[in-house]
Amino acid sequence: QVQLVESGGDLVQAGGSLRLSCAASGSIFSINAMAYYRQAPGKQRDLVARITSGGGTAYADSVKSRFTISRDNAKNTVYLQMNSLKPDDTAVYYCNADITSRSGFLNNYWGQGTQVTVSS
């Protein structure tokens, strides 16, 4: 069984910074792409940033130059460094990963979500 456990969400003032972490655990053979999505109240869940197993990254236009996604493959962990936060960044942030288990099955997994609130 595989699970993603997130941490790092908090209340922060506009202009501040936060670092989210998401650790994968369980019967893991390999982890392919990892990503963060976010969902604000009444809105759909949108992709924020994505990182491949080789380190290639992609970002939503709204967070480019402010957010940085990275990963530590030895720790099966992905990070999202968020700088120059704006009230519009307020949302529940979800970790997502494509993971192949030791039994050979590839599945997509979601974390439980972590709340980020940016006050003006």
Side-chain angles (χ1 to χ4, degrees):
Q1 188 169 353
V2 173
Q3 63 176 350
L4 301 177
V5 177
E6 302 183 53
S7 61
D10 206 345
L11 169 64
V12 63
Q13 288 188 335
S17 298
L18 280 177
R19 188 192 195 207
L20 305 183
S21 300
C22 172
S25 63
S27 180
I28 297 171
F29 175 73
S30 65
I31 303 177
N32 301 325
M34 304 184 81
Y36 272 97
Y37 288 73
R38 67 186 181 186
Q39 187 168 22
K43 296 188 177 181
Q44 66 181 19
R45 189 175 298 187
D46 292 325
L47 177 67
V48 175
R50 184 176 183 270
I51 184 167
T52 67
S53 57
T57 59
Y59 297 90
D61 288 343
S62 60
V63 307
K64 281 181 182 175
S65 78
R66 299 189 298 122
F67 290 10
T68 302
I69 191 169
S70 62
R71 62 191 286 171
D72 184 334
N73 291 329
K75 295 182 179 180
N76 291 336
T77 300
V78 63
Y79 306 96
L80 185 67
Q81 178 66 43
M82 305 185 293
N83 299 328
S84 302
L85 283 161
K86 305 174 181 179
D88 284 350
D89 295 318
T90 296
V92 178
Y93 284 70
Y94 295 93
C95 175
N96 179 273
D98 293 323
I99 298 174
T100 300
S101 66
R102 291 193 184 122
S103 58
F105 294 101
L106 173 63
N107 283 303
N108 183 261
Y109 296 88
W110 290 94
Q112 81 280 10
T114 187
Q115 177 70 47
V116 172
T117 303
V118 184
S119 63
S120 57

